[in-house]
Amino acid sequence: APGLEAEVDVGLISQVFSNLFSNAVKYTREVEEAAGRRKYVTYGCSLEPGRYGRGQDGVRCFVFSTGPNLTQQEAGRLYTEGFRGSNVSGEYGTGHGLHFVREVVTLHGGDVGYEPVENGNVFSFVLPVRKSPSGGGRESRASS
């Protein structure tokens, strides 16, 4: 959504996005939909009013990719150091990427998430929106 901002370390958050997009592209698989077999990735951001308490909104960023859902056991371990799912299909990886994502997002006061949905998976993170120094509005500037 246009105009949503959070105060972040631009270098670290860009690495978070890079990791999520890289994983999405690497692990996306074809699924059967009404339109036929498809394979795709989508992403976005949205405001989550009151996510961190009254008057403290969050900005949720997500990446969706088509493919099989993770098991509940795997989903619970997703953001832990060294974990790799059973659906990696021989793709290269070390199991450090999502752990890094969690560490950076937590450092910024946010939280990470995973949601299995029809035909795919949503990986997300939410960061608190900082109020501007003037006290008005939900937005603040990004810092590096």
Side-chain angles (χ1 to χ4, degrees):
L4 296 178
E5 295 183 19
E7 189 173 342
V8 300
D9 178 295
V10 174
L12 289 174
I13 291 298
S14 67
Q15 290 177 28
V16 165
F17 278 109
S18 176
N19 183 281
L20 291 176
F21 287 133
S22 173
N23 280 356
V25 169
K26 185 171 21 175
Y27 298 117
T28 298
R29 300 292 182 259
E30 281 190 346
V31 294
E32 188 67 44
E33 294 184 329
R37 294 196 63 74
R38 297 181 61 196
K39 175 179 173 180
Y40 59 93
V41 172
T42 61
Y43 64 94
C45 292
S46 61
L47 179 67
E48 290 202 352
R51 171 68 180 243
Y52 295 102
R54 185 175 178 176
Q56 183 57 58
D57 301 336
V59 176
R60 179 179 182 263
C61 299
F62 69 89
V63 177
F64 164 85
S65 60
T66 57
N69 297 139
L70 299 173
T71 67
Q72 255 188 329
Q73 294 77 18
E74 289 175 321
R77 297 179 53 212
L78 260 179
Y79 292 93
T80 59
E81 180 70 26
F83 174 74
R84 297 196 72 211
S86 63
N87 67 341
V88 295
S89 304
E91 296 286 353
Y92 173 77
T94 60
H96 300 296
L98 290 179
H99 178 258
F100 172 81
V101 166
R102 187 190 77 204
E103 292 298 307
V104 170
V105 170
T106 301
L107 177 71
H108 285 82
D111 50 281
V112 295
Y114 164 76
E115 182 183 2
V117 295
E118 183 178 358
N119 291 329
N121 301 284
V122 176
F123 291 83
S124 63
F125 64 91
V126 182
L127 297 173
V129 174
R130 305 276 187 233
K131 296 221 183 274
S132 65
S134 65
R138 295 184 166 133
E139 298 178 11
S140 67
R141 60 188 172 85
S143 64
S144 57

